[in-house]
Amino acid sequence: MNRQQILIIDDEPDIRELLEITLSRMGLETAAAADLAQARALLTEQSFDLCLTDLRLPDGSGLDLVEHIQAYHPELPVAVITAYGSMDTAIAALKGGAFDFLSKPIDLTRLRSLIESALKASTSTTSPSNVDRRAQRLLGKSATMQRIRETVAKLARSQAPVYIHGESGTGKELIAQQIHDQGPRRTAPFVPVNCGAIPAELVESEFFGHLKGSFTGAVADKRGLFQAADGGTLFLDEVAELPLSMQVKLLRAIQERRVKPIGATAEIPTDVRILSATHKNLDEEVAAERFRQDLYYRLNVIAVTAPPLRERPEDLPELTEHILSRLGERWGQPAPGLSDAALRALRHHSFPGNIRELENILERAATLCEGNIIEPSDLQLPEPAPATDVLFDDAPSSAEISLDARLIEHQREVIRRALEQTRWNKTEAARQLGMSFRQLRYRLKKLGIE
């Protein structure tokens, strides 16, 4: 079997020799160039599986080579070697299409990890059937979704941080999952975390871990999220919710690729790709000094927009069919279908909650509809606002709110009584209440009855 070929470009003979020896011990073949001209000549003469280039070269910049490879050899991963601390240049390389970067002095452990990941990325493109199978999870035939799938395929070959922005319910986590699944880290963990759901006093422990006895309540050692995602991907959902004190520590962990658990005396190296998302406008958060600008630039190397559902109504038939099919699998029986009239009604709805709202609408309709077909009335969509001028205040009065609360409590009491009388036999309780089992299950969930 032919050994994989690595192209090394550096004008310092000692660095070239170090890289050649390290790669040779990994069972890899190498070719070396001292400048851009030699590198371009070698690229035309033979094919390579990975390129390692210094940033500063006698006849130009390593960024020029990144641009050249993107134009003429787009499947070839290229990593840029930068001077220590030149994070702005490293980010510029990632934006230009570099797979990853290394800082001098070169950490050989980090070098080997980068090479292994890059070679996986290089060979993963040879099995498009796997990529196609995974990409089907990003549903929709609209031009917008086709572009999203193409973008995801490109981003999967890189290690650059990706910032996914979009409204709530647009599927930002699904896009992040697809970037992970189609990339070289797909066999390692994908760890999603909702940054807004972690109490401020526990956020450092959650991210970096802690040692037993390091604070009150630390009864055992705990691995942090960075350690749990080591070798894989850490997805920071709602990253704008992180407290400023944690933003500083997160920035350092990303830049240094090391974390220090609470109570530890030494840092632990980590190999994690960072993907992040929020429904907030991070530019506005930075301007309001609620989000650190340096962290924003570090996370927002490449940006992807998750489109709102109202901008791709042509995807509704495929989405509704998929959601109803998944409901049927969960229930263990076929879910109702959707009538043409119901589909037309959905097309005219604005979906402020996007796909998550569509899922809720369809689950409620499938639960409450009497037959096997969902009709417009089953969707319970809000009536469109009248086009006339508002002459009166239509806000509900306190008496109306009080009445609604009493009716809800009455429903809870009636359902509880039926369940107690049937010893919590839901099928029999539904029969006594004159509703289907699906309808009772929906009411239990909506009313919060355990």
Side-chain angles (χ1 to χ4, degrees):
M1 187 176 72
N2 293 333
R3 296 207 293 179
Q4 290 170 301
Q5 301 283 327
I6 314 297
L7 175 60
I8 299 168
I9 307 105
D10 200 300
D11 61 332
E12 296 183 47
D14 291 346
I15 297 292
R16 288 202 304 271
E17 184 179 3
L18 171 66
L19 293 172
E20 287 178 314
I21 291 172
T22 303
L23 271 58
S24 176
R25 288 175 177 170
M26 295 177 70
L28 303 169
E29 294 283 352
T30 62
D35 54 37
L36 286 177
Q38 291 180 23
R40 287 178 178 139
L42 285 170
L43 284 167
T44 59
E45 293 169 7
Q46 65 183 99
S47 60
F48 294 94
D49 299 290
L50 171 64
C51 174
L52 294 172
T53 180
D54 192 20
L55 184 66
R56 294 187 177 182
L57 296 168
D59 54 349
S61 166
L63 297 180
D64 297 329
L65 186 62
V66 172
E67 185 178 339
H68 176 84
I69 288 174
Q70 283 292 301
Y72 298 102
H73 311 277
E75 301 302 320
L76 174 60
V78 52
V80 174
I81 302 171
T82 68
Y84 178 77
S86 55
M87 188 56 62
D88 290 345
T89 307
I91 291 174
L94 292 172
K95 284 182 179 288
F99 174 82
D100 210 339
F101 68 92
L102 283 168
S103 297
K104 292 181 179 179
I106 295 174
D107 182 323
L108 294 184
T109 301
R110 166 77 186 127
L111 171 64
R112 294 187 191 100
S113 175
L114 183 151
I115 289 170
E116 289 170 0
S117 294
L119 292 178
K120 284 181 185 177
S122 178
T123 56
S124 67
T125 57
T126 61
S127 54
S129 59
N130 291 339
V131 172
D132 291 343
R133 175 177 54 80
R134 291 188 177 94
Q136 289 173 2
R137 293 174 58 189
L138 287 170
L139 300 176
K141 297 182 175 64
S142 62
T144 299
M145 289 310 297
Q146 289 174 11
R147 285 194 298 271
I148 290 287
R149 285 191 288 269
E150 291 169 1
T151 300
V152 163
K154 290 178 182 176
L155 295 179
R157 297 197 296 266
S158 168
Q159 294 300 290
V162 177
Y163 167 55
I164 307 165
H165 56 96
E167 299 173 8
S168 293
T170 49
K172 297 186 287 296
E173 182 173 341
L174 181 57
I175 292 175
Q177 179 80 61
Q178 290 302 290
I179 293 172
H180 171 82
D181 285 349
Q182 295 183 40
R185 295 176 178 265
R186 60 184 173 272
T187 57
F190 174 82
V191 179
V193 53
N194 185 334
C195 298
I198 305 174
E201 63 273 14
L202 297 178
V203 67
E204 184 176 357
S205 170
E206 287 295 317
F207 273 84
F208 305 143
H210 63 251
L211 300 186
K212 179 180 177 180
S214 55
F215 55 86
T216 303
V219 295
D221 291 354
K222 177 181 177 177
R223 296 170 72 224
L225 293 166
F226 271 82
Q227 294 161 277
D230 195 44
T233 303
L234 181 60
F235 174 55
L236 307 176
D237 197 10
E238 297 303 343
V239 69
E241 302 300 328
L242 284 175
L244 283 167
S245 59
M246 185 59 200
Q247 292 177 28
V248 179
K249 296 172 182 176
L250 176 61
L251 175 63
R252 188 180 188 281
I254 293 173
Q255 293 189 162
E256 301 299 325
R257 305 188 196 229
R258 293 174 178 273
V259 298
K260 186 177 180 181
I262 298 174
T265 57
E267 292 184 320
I268 301 171
T270 60
D271 174 23
V272 171
R273 185 181 188 183
I274 300 291
L275 307 178
S276 59
T278 181
H279 73 281
K280 292 185 176 180
N281 186 320
L282 273 190
D283 288 310
E284 294 178 358
E285 295 298 299
V286 170
E289 299 184 348
R290 290 188 294 265
F291 200 83
R292 290 183 63 94
Q293 189 175 53
D294 46 8
L295 178 59
Y296 172 56
Y297 288 141
R298 192 67 187 88
L299 296 175
N300 189 24
V301 173
I302 300 172
V304 177
T305 301
L309 183 54
R310 62 182 172 275
E311 292 182 5
R312 52 187 189 106
E314 61 268 45
D315 292 336
L316 276 170
E318 186 176 0
L319 289 169
T320 54
E321 181 181 352
H322 173 75
I323 293 168
L324 291 171
S325 173
R326 199 170 57 191
L327 276 176
E329 291 175 5
R330 203 167 77 204
W331 292 349
Q333 62 184 37
L338 195 69
S339 72
D340 292 342
L343 182 58
R344 284 195 297 273
L346 288 174
R347 286 183 184 274
H348 287 93
H349 184 54
S350 62
F351 288 104
N354 294 291
I355 296 174
R356 190 178 297 131
E357 180 186 2
L358 175 63
E359 291 172 338
N360 291 338
I361 288 172
L362 291 177
E363 182 171 3
R364 181 179 63 220
T367 301
L368 298 179
C369 75
E370 294 297 336
N372 292 322
I373 297 294
I374 296 172
E375 298 295 347
S377 58
D378 299 318
L379 299 173
Q380 298 184 15
L381 297 177
E383 293 292 330
T388 56
D389 293 336
V390 177
L391 299 178
F392 302 99
D393 183 2
D394 290 329
S397 66
S398 58
E400 290 172 322
I401 294 172
S402 176
L403 177 61
D404 287 343
R406 286 201 298 271
L407 288 172
I408 289 171
E409 187 53 43
H410 177 68
Q411 288 183 50
R412 282 201 188 98
E413 183 58 33
V414 169
I415 291 175
R416 278 201 196 97
R417 195 178 303 128
L419 288 167
E420 288 168 358
Q421 289 174 354
T422 60
R423 297 180 181 273
W424 289 83
N425 183 324
K426 295 177 185 176
T427 303
E428 178 60 22
R431 189 190 66 77
Q432 288 190 14
L433 291 166
M435 62 176 66
S436 69
F437 180 77
R438 281 201 321 245
Q439 290 171 324
L440 175 60
R441 183 167 52 186
Y442 172 76
R443 290 292 175 190
L444 292 173
K445 183 179 178 181
K446 183 177 181 180
L447 296 171
I449 300 174
E450 295 294 336

